[in-house]
Amino acid sequence: MKPPSSVLSELERAREMVLAGRMPEARQLLDTLVGSAQTDAEKLLLDIGRLQLELRANPKLNDAGTLAAAMQALDGAQKLPEQPLIEALALSNLAIVQLRLRIYHAALSGLERGHLLAEKTGDARLAGRLLATRCYVLLQAELYAELVGLAEQLLEHPERFEARSLHHVLNNAAVACTSQVELSNDWNDPQALGASPLWQKGMRWHAQALAHARRENLAFEQLLSSINVMLSAALAGAADMARKHLAELRKPESKPLLDLLDGAEEGCVLVELLLAWQASHTPAAWTALLDFERNLDRSGENMRMVREHALRAISRLGLSAGQPDRAVWASQQLLAQQRQHLQDISNSLGQTLDDALRLQRVLIDNEGLSRQGNELERSLAQRNSELNLALSRVQAEATVRKAAEAALQQANEELELRVQQRTQDLEQALRQILQQEKQLALGRVVVGMAHELNTPLGNARMAASVIRERSEELLQLLQAGQLQKRTLEATTHTLHDCATLLDRAVDSAGSLVQRLKTLSTGTVAEPLSRFDVVGLVRDMLQVRQAMLSERAVDARLEGPQELMLEGYPLALQDVIGELIDNALNHGLDGKRGRLQFSIDRENSLCSLRLQDTGRGIPADDLPKVFDPFFSGQLGRGGAGLGLSVARTLVEELMLGRIEVRSLGHGTCVELRLPCGGA
């Protein structure tokens, strides 16, 4: 089974765009294809195609992440045994990455399998490309003899290759031949070099590659062959041939292509220096060649091949230049460079193995996460099924309850009317509070009211429900003539308990409403009068002394014997009572401690301070202590209205100020009230 031909043709079109230097257009084309992909095979094929284009566009793309992406794509392709062509394409990408990481044997093994898969699917073009890539891997691995032997077999049937792949085979084989000769003893003997069958074969393949590139109009490949022929001719002393190709490369139309190939310009300069030396044999020409090699040494890995040619030229020409020491030095540099190259291969292999091991651990972790995800999906599916079943049951129960509610409606109307009346009273009190508070406190007010009213109203509803049920049972027994004294007594006790619970619930709701009303100054009917604030506080402490002693709380009062105010003593008494309750229940929280009252007069104001030795107030809660229904003990006996009521009375009725400060280990509340009168 083959992948969709339309996807393969579009990938081929994107490949041609990259070869033409139009990478942005190729990426845009792939993005469009990915958006329209429908099957997993198409999506995987497009991922492989994208990686192939990125590898071609960036020759330095060889990190562990790229290797992981190539291996992941291969793993996905191997899970589609009915799509061998996709696996062949994935193996091609992986081989290129392995080549750049210098894992040559793995690359060759993958290319061999990819070639077999391509031949199996009948894709001759891909099979030819994989063979050409195999030749390139052999060249980079410096397996020159193996490459020459393989090329001789492949070139017996050149028709199996497309134009560009055939050029790659010829070019790589020619470079392998000349490189073998450069490493042999024939290199330093011009006569032996010219008579070397291997050298002649390499130059013949170079010539065939160049002619093929010109015939097929392959501009980049023609440039590559011209450079290789030029360098080989110059190093072998064939000045006329080298000069001819140099002139072609120095034409203005060749300049853009030269810029695309690392080392091309430097190769031309090297040939120019070699031709200058061969023409003059002057010290200046020799010095220029040595300076050029030194500059290449500082240029890094990109100029490695050009520097090798320069060193070989110095090694060969050193004797004729009268500097045998430079020839020996160049040979030593070539040997050191070869050793360094082998060391780099070893280091790269070791790093790649480490990356592969880390990658394997990551894959294992990913598999574990995938299994967990699958288990979670199954658990969620099971949970959804259970929820759907429960929902069906709830809906069935709701239908039954709806029928029952119709029968209960009449009995609940009276209670609902009372609840509505109470609710209206609470809403009126709430509107008065909301007119004086910020909009930000709206949420807390509503939540607090609902929370506090929930318990008494719930108790009331439960009591009414029990009363109704017991009444119906009693009526049924009475009508049936089965009413017994014991049953009547039990029912009477139950009705009495429910009535008591109902009264307590209504009283609790009524008490909450009364406290809400206190938030409005309009609900205070106390007349303005003159009173002794010190005596008022002293009397309040005496009344509460037994309770304070029981809690082991030491209450103290500091101030003058008498301080007269003109104001509202009952309202002030309520405020001080709230402050004392707050200190005992929130500050000291039932523990032993001390309450310190301080009273003095500052000009026309009376300052009354209450300080406890409790736990203080958290900094985040301090700005909210006056908000209605804000309490640290909400739901545990604290309605959250005490300080809100206190502030309303102090600031709006008494026209004073109230401030709360947290002391870390205690809280201080200060009232500043106008004294009034003379």
Side-chain angles (χ1 to χ4, degrees):
M1 182 177 180
K2 293 185 178 180
S5 58
S6 59
V7 177
L8 290 175
S9 61
E10 290 300 302
L11 287 178
E12 186 64 23
R13 189 157 70 93
R15 179 176 179 271
E16 293 299 328
M17 289 179 182
V18 175
L19 293 175
R22 296 154 51 198
M23 187 63 187
E25 295 181 41
R27 289 193 176 112
Q28 185 176 4
L29 174 59
L30 275 181
D31 290 339
T32 303
L33 293 173
V34 170
S36 61
Q38 296 180 354
T39 66
D40 292 339
E42 289 181 355
K43 294 176 183 177
L44 179 59
L45 182 59
L46 290 172
D47 288 340
I48 293 172
R50 185 187 296 277
L51 179 58
Q52 184 183 59
L53 297 187
E54 295 296 338
L55 289 171
R56 186 172 294 277
N58 185 3
K60 298 180 181 179
L61 192 62
N62 63 349
D63 53 33
T66 306
L67 178 62
M71 293 178 67
Q72 185 175 2
L74 177 59
D75 182 64
Q78 290 174 341
K79 294 177 181 178
L80 300 172
E82 72 281 3
Q83 300 281 3
L85 189 58
I86 296 181
E87 183 180 354
L89 291 169
L91 285 167
S92 175
N93 284 350
L94 180 59
I96 293 173
V97 180
Q98 290 170 334
L99 166 64
R100 294 178 181 180
L101 293 171
R102 297 171 182 170
I103 314 175
Y104 299 123
H105 287 83
L108 291 171
S109 176
L111 288 171
E112 177 64 21
R113 173 167 173 75
H115 174 253
L116 293 175
L117 291 172
E119 284 191 333
K120 178 181 178 181
T121 60
D123 193 327
R125 180 171 58 183
L126 178 58
R129 289 177 183 174
L130 292 170
L131 287 173
T133 305
R134 186 180 180 189
C135 291
Y136 183 64
V137 174
L138 289 171
L139 178 64
Q140 294 300 311
E142 299 181 2
L143 299 173
Y144 301 131
E146 290 82 353
L147 173 53
V148 172
L150 176 62
E152 288 176 341
Q153 296 177 18
L154 297 178
L155 293 176
E156 291 179 358
H157 301 283
E159 68 279 357
R160 74 174 70 184
F161 297 102
E162 61 181 345
R164 188 170 279 108
S165 296
L166 179 58
H167 177 272
H168 291 168
V169 174
L170 287 168
N171 183 71
N172 291 328
V175 173
C177 289
T178 56
S179 297
Q180 272 189 288
V181 176
E182 289 173 0
L183 296 174
S184 67
N185 294 328
D186 293 341
W187 174 249
N188 294 318
D189 186 349
Q191 292 182 351
L193 178 62
S196 170
L198 198 57
W199 179 265
Q200 293 174 358
K201 181 184 294 186
M203 296 306 292
R204 183 172 64 254
W205 278 342
H206 270 313
Q208 291 177 4
L210 181 57
H212 175 73
R214 288 173 176 170
R215 184 170 56 253
E216 298 293 337
N217 197 24
L218 303 175
F220 185 80
E221 283 73 12
Q222 182 178 340
L223 170 73
L224 186 62
S225 289
S226 294
I227 292 174
N228 286 332
V229 173
M230 176 188 68
L231 283 170
S232 298
L235 291 172
D240 293 339
M241 183 183 297
R243 194 174 290 110
K244 174 184 175 183
H245 287 282
L246 178 62
E248 291 289 332
L249 294 171
R250 284 307 188 192
K251 289 181 178 180
E253 57 267 25
S254 299
K255 183 66 166 61
L257 291 175
L258 282 175
D259 294 338
L260 294 176
L261 184 61
D262 286 343
E265 175 62 29
E266 287 75 9
C268 291
V269 173
L270 175 60
V271 171
E272 289 172 347
L273 293 174
L274 290 175
L275 292 176
W277 162 254
Q278 293 170 7
S280 64
H281 285 75
T282 61
W286 179 252
T287 302
L289 179 60
L290 296 178
D291 292 339
F292 176 73
E293 185 280 327
R294 279 192 291 271
N295 291 331
L296 289 177
D297 186 25
R298 291 191 290 269
S299 298
E301 182 67 17
N302 289 342
M303 296 295 114
R304 184 175 67 86
M305 296 301 296
V306 181
R307 184 170 180 251
E308 283 187 6
H309 285 94
L311 289 171
R312 286 196 177 93
I314 294 172
S315 173
R316 183 181 181 192
L317 302 175
L319 291 177
S320 59
Q323 293 189 4
D325 56 329
R326 297 303 296 181
V328 174
W329 171 84
S331 299
Q332 292 174 343
Q333 288 294 311
L334 283 170
L335 181 59
Q337 195 172 48
Q338 184 69 15
R339 288 175 177 171
Q340 183 61 44
H341 180 59
L342 293 176
Q343 182 63 42
D344 291 343
I345 292 176
S346 176
N347 293 339
S348 176
L349 180 59
Q351 181 63 41
T352 303
L353 289 175
D354 290 341
D355 291 340
L357 291 175
R358 284 195 295 270
L359 176 61
Q360 187 63 28
R361 287 193 292 270
V362 170
L363 291 176
I364 292 174
D365 293 341
N366 288 342
E367 289 178 359
L369 292 175
S370 178
R371 286 194 297 271
Q372 292 178 6
N374 293 335
E375 292 175 359
L376 180 59
E377 289 179 359
R378 289 193 294 271
S379 176
L380 289 176
Q382 182 179 359
R383 185 59 177 166
N384 287 336
S385 177
E386 294 173 354
L387 289 176
N388 289 333
L389 181 60
L391 180 60
S392 300
R393 293 175 179 172
V394 169
Q395 290 174 344
E397 292 177 1
T399 303
V400 175
R401 290 183 181 181
K402 186 174 181 181
E405 286 175 359
L408 296 175
Q409 184 66 32
Q410 186 175 359
N412 290 336
E413 287 180 356
E414 183 179 354
L415 179 60
E416 289 179 356
L417 289 175
R418 296 178 64 184
V419 171
Q420 289 176 1
Q421 183 61 42
R422 294 294 187 182
T423 303
Q424 290 175 1
D425 294 342
L426 290 176
E427 289 176 349
Q428 180 63 29
L430 180 61
R431 282 195 293 272
Q432 293 177 359
I433 294 174
L434 293 178
Q435 291 174 359
Q436 303 169 13
E437 297 295 333
K438 298 179 182 178
Q439 289 297 325
L440 192 63
L442 179 60
R444 181 173 293 280
V445 171
V446 175
V447 172
M449 286 180 58
H451 186 86
E452 289 299 317
L453 286 174
N454 186 52
T455 300
L457 292 180
N459 290 340
R461 183 180 294 274
M462 181 182 67
S465 177
V466 173
I467 289 173
R468 181 190 57 76
E469 291 176 358
R470 293 294 181 268
S471 298
E472 290 179 354
E473 292 176 0
L474 188 63
L475 182 59
Q476 291 175 357
L477 292 173
L478 183 61
Q479 291 175 349
Q482 299 176 356
L483 181 62
Q484 298 178 3
K485 179 180 180 180
R486 182 178 56 188
T487 303
L488 181 60
E489 290 177 351
T491 303
T492 303
H493 287 306
T494 301
L495 293 176
H496 181 270
D497 293 342
C498 290
T500 303
L501 177 62
L502 184 60
D503 286 340
R504 281 203 305 269
V506 174
D507 289 343
S508 177
S511 175
L512 179 61
V513 173
Q514 187 60 38
R515 297 191 70 184
L516 287 171
K517 289 182 179 180
T518 309
L519 289 174
S520 172
T521 57
T523 61
V524 179
E526 181 184 2
L528 187 68
S529 62
R530 193 168 180 79
F531 64 95
D532 178 15
V533 64
V534 178
L536 185 146
V537 174
R538 185 183 300 113
D539 292 343
M540 290 186 68
L541 291 178
Q542 289 177 356
V543 170
R544 295 172 180 250
Q545 184 60 46
M547 182 263 291
L548 294 173
S549 299
E550 182 180 348
R551 296 194 180 191
V553 176
D554 181 19
R556 301 180 183 181
L557 172 63
E558 294 182 358
Q561 288 297 319
E562 181 181 87
L563 178 58
M564 300 301 295
L565 292 182
E566 187 172 343
Y568 303 93
L570 294 180
L572 181 59
Q573 186 173 345
D574 289 342
V575 171
I576 295 174
E578 290 287 358
L579 298 183
I580 293 175
D581 290 343
N582 254 14
L584 294 176
N585 297 328
H586 297 279
L588 298 176
D589 197 12
K591 301 177 181 178
R592 66 172 61 243
R594 185 173 72 251
L595 297 181
Q596 178 71 44
F597 277 94
S598 301
I599 304 176
D600 57 26
R601 177 166 181 164
E602 300 176 0
N603 299 325
S604 62
L605 295 177
C606 169
S607 175
L608 189 154
R609 288 182 296 276
L610 171 59
Q611 181 174 334
D612 62 59
T613 58
R615 60 185 178 182
I617 301 174
D620 293 340
D621 292 345
L622 200 58
K624 300 180 287 188
V625 293
F626 292 115
D627 290 351
F629 297 104
F630 176 80
S631 173
Q633 296 185 354
L634 193 63
R636 294 184 289 123
L641 290 174
L643 287 179
S644 180
V645 170
R647 185 177 70 170
T648 300
L649 293 175
V650 171
E651 296 187 353
E652 299 188 15
L653 178 64
M654 305 178 193
L655 303 180
R657 297 290 297 171
I658 180 171
E659 296 180 359
V660 178
R661 297 187 297 274
S662 181
L663 307 177
H665 295 288
T667 303
C668 178
V669 183
E670 181 176 4
L671 307 182
R672 300 177 66 82
L673 305 173
C675 294

